[in-house]
Amino acid sequence: MKKEGYYSTGELMKLAHITKKTIRYYDEHNILKPSYVDPGTRTRFYTDDDLARLQQILLLKALGFSLSDIMEMTINDSDTHFMVDSLNLQKKLVEDRIEQLQIVARTIQETAQLIEDGQSVNWSKMLNQIHDLGMETSMKNQYQNASNISARIHLHALYSRNSQSWFSWIFQQASFAPGIRVLEVGCGDGTFWKENENSIPESIQVVLSDISNGMLRDARRSLGARYQNFTFRTFDCEAIPYEDASFDLVIANHVLFYCEHIEDACREIARILKPGGLFLCSTYGKEHMKEISWLVSSFDDRIVLSSTKLYDRFGKENGKGILSPYFSEVVWRQYEDDLTIPEPEPLISYILSCHGNQNQYILDRYKEFAAFVKKQTTPSFHVTKDAGCFLCRK
């Protein structure tokens, strides 16, 4: 049976070089649905757009994405940022895989040389290097976090009322001076420094730290060789491997509320600060982005965007009480801003990037949810921002 302007399942599988079983699987799992199904014969038909979508799916699969990843990436075709961000995620994973294989190649070469020289071989070291090849899952989780952070930064960059970016404002609060020694804990991918690169005094010494090796690799690649005064180290800010009074300035940008033991982190940071040194730590207040929580709960009251309210752990309202035992002076600075969002796609990407259960209730009803968000953003959707930083003197 032929339908003008459409491809049959057989034609589609020949064009895409896949089996009919694969096409049926994608249909059954809502990854690629036919544009038309004959009501009498139940024959499926596909358009040129369906073919292009299928080719996109096959490319992403060849790049190593799982089908669940692909479903999330392609479900919102109009948000190109979401797709680009996901592709950059996979690029980083490939780069890390290359680094791992280079390490293993060096280990093999060193082992072969030891054998040739008649020396003893550390087989345990060799085995540990090979086991490093099994890190893809943990790296992917690290980079998925980076991808989610990027989606949230993107929303703020597009629609913030304050013309001064968050990172620029934080840099201004820190009052950088020539010759100081700086530590950033939880540096992520180094965006703070990248966005302020033209303002960084040349003579300062900077240590960027994160608990995630993947994040530090991102930061190192992003900042590059130009930042010769930068050192990158992996450690937990609850146990900082530096001597007392080592730094003039410590920065924790949206970090403390993720610490398992916040008091231990504060104690360590106070310890490694010089007398009179500054600790800058940013956080949220309880009003932050409250309209987005209202939006998703109005669509489905089972949705919770975060299992933990971060500001309850360390926020504008309770932060001074947590910090005061460790610092002689604690002052709050408010970042004055809000969002006016006139289109749904970046807002949807933001929502899907959150740490809650939203994907469980949204992905299967995506078109319905997109229509709901579009209605809410017509003509625009206002979002409160309630964020700032504590400036703490030792």
Side-chain angles (χ1 to χ4, degrees):
M1 180 179 179
K2 178 72 177 175
K3 184 173 175 60
E4 191 66 30
Y6 287 82
Y7 301 108
S8 67
T9 300
E11 290 170 328
L12 187 72
M13 76 181 203
K14 289 178 182 178
L15 288 168
H17 307 289
I18 58 174
T19 65
K20 184 180 291 186
K21 182 179 179 180
T22 299
I23 294 175
R24 288 294 177 90
Y25 181 88
Y26 289 168
D27 183 359
E28 291 167 1
H29 289 80
N30 298 315
I31 297 167
L32 178 72
K33 304 293 289 184
S35 287
Y36 177 76
V37 179
D38 186 281
T41 64
R42 305 305 299 167
T43 304
R44 292 164 170 79
F45 293 97
Y46 299 85
T47 64
D48 284 329
D49 287 343
D50 295 329
L51 175 60
R53 181 180 173 87
L54 176 58
Q55 290 168 333
Q56 180 187 63
I57 290 167
L58 295 174
L59 171 63
L60 294 171
K61 192 169 184 294
L63 289 172
F65 289 98
S66 69
L67 290 179
S68 60
D69 291 334
I70 292 169
M71 186 176 178
E72 287 190 34
M73 291 167 65
T74 60
I75 200 168
N76 188 5
D77 289 333
S78 57
D79 188 356
T80 56
H81 172 80
F82 196 72
M83 175 62 72
V84 169
D85 202 40
S86 298
L87 288 171
N88 285 333
L89 157 65
Q90 194 67 8
K91 176 175 176 286
K92 292 168 185 174
L93 290 171
V94 170
E95 290 170 343
D96 269 338
R97 181 70 169 178
I98 291 169
E99 286 186 14
Q100 286 182 334
L101 290 172
Q102 288 173 337
I103 291 170
V104 173
R106 286 195 298 270
T107 303
I108 293 171
Q109 184 178 9
E110 291 168 5
T111 303
Q113 189 64 53
L114 288 172
I115 293 172
E116 287 182 1
D117 295 343
Q119 300 182 39
S120 61
V121 176
N122 185 344
W123 294 107
S124 177
K125 177 183 177 183
M126 179 70 175
L127 182 61
N128 288 337
Q129 296 290 1
I130 297 298
H131 281 166
D132 281 345
L133 291 177
M135 290 175 58
E136 289 91 342
T137 300
S138 62
M139 286 195 304
K140 187 168 185 177
N141 290 337
Q142 292 171 357
Y143 281 131
Q144 191 63 56
N145 289 336
S147 179
N148 289 339
I149 291 169
S150 179
R152 294 194 282 275
I153 290 173
H154 182 63
L155 186 76
H156 292 284
L158 283 175
Y159 306 119
S160 286
R161 176 178 54 84
N162 192 331
S163 59
Q164 184 179 23
S165 76
W166 168 259
F167 294 106
S168 172
W169 182 82
I170 287 291
F171 191 90
Q172 185 179 52
Q173 307 313 305
S175 302
F176 282 86
I180 64 171
R181 194 171 188 214
V182 183
L183 168 66
E184 183 181 11
V185 296
C187 69
D189 64 0
T191 299
F192 172 76
W193 302 94
K194 189 71 175 175
E195 295 220 356
N196 290 294
E197 60 182 341
N198 294 327
S199 304
I200 301 171
E202 290 185 4
S203 58
I204 68 171
Q205 297 290 324
V206 180
V207 176
L208 296 190
S209 73
D210 201 284
I211 199 169
S212 161
N213 284 315
M215 288 292 191
L216 278 181
R217 280 191 291 267
D218 258 11
R220 193 180 291 110
R221 289 191 192 113
S222 174
L223 299 179
R226 290 174 299 166
Y227 295 83
Q228 297 179 356
N229 297 337
F230 280 59
T231 303
F232 302 86
R233 293 195 63 177
T234 305
F235 58 80
D236 190 329
C237 62
E238 295 177 23
I240 300 174
Y242 285 95
E243 295 180 357
D244 296 359
S246 296
F247 294 92
D248 302 282
L249 170 65
V250 177
I251 298 171
N253 189 15
H254 293 345
V255 169
L256 284 189
F257 39 53
Y258 291 122
C259 294
E260 186 175 354
H261 304 103
I262 297 174
E263 291 79 7
D264 290 346
C266 292
R267 186 179 298 109
E268 276 291 272
I269 290 165
R271 178 185 65 78
I272 56 95
L273 263 181
K274 295 178 181 179
L278 177 68
F279 174 41
L280 184 156
C281 52
S282 63
T283 187
Y284 306 113
K286 62 183 180 180
E287 299 295 304
H288 190 66
M289 310 294 275
K290 61 181 181 180
E291 292 84 359
I292 294 182
S293 294
W294 169 86
L295 178 72
V296 295
S297 62
S298 297
F299 177 74
D300 190 320
D301 60 13
R302 294 171 295 179
I303 297 176
V304 179
L305 293 182
S306 176
S307 57
T308 304
K309 291 183 173 62
L310 296 177
Y311 54 77
D312 282 344
R313 298 205 72 237
F314 176 80
K316 181 177 79 171
E317 290 77 18
N318 64 5
K320 187 170 184 178
I322 294 171
L323 294 163
S324 291
Y326 308 98
F327 301 95
S328 62
E329 179 185 344
V330 179
V331 177
W332 171 258
R333 296 272 179 86
Q334 182 82 15
Y335 177 63
E336 300 295 341
D337 198 14
D338 55 42
L339 302 174
T340 300
I341 306 170
E343 52 188 341
E345 288 81 10
L347 179 55
I348 292 170
S349 290
Y350 177 96
I351 291 167
L352 293 178
S353 77
C354 292
H355 298 295
N357 64 0
Q358 68 281 348
N359 290 6
Q360 178 182 346
Y361 300 107
I362 289 175
L363 293 184
D364 289 341
R365 301 168 60 195
Y366 182 80
K367 289 185 178 179
E368 181 186 351
F369 180 69
F372 175 78
V373 176
K374 184 175 182 179
K375 183 177 180 181
Q376 298 297 325
T377 53
T378 304
S380 63
F381 185 72
H382 176 266
V383 177
T384 301
K385 290 176 69 171
D386 187 14
C389 66
F390 288 102
L391 299 178
C392 312
R393 290 286 177 187
K394 182 174 177 179

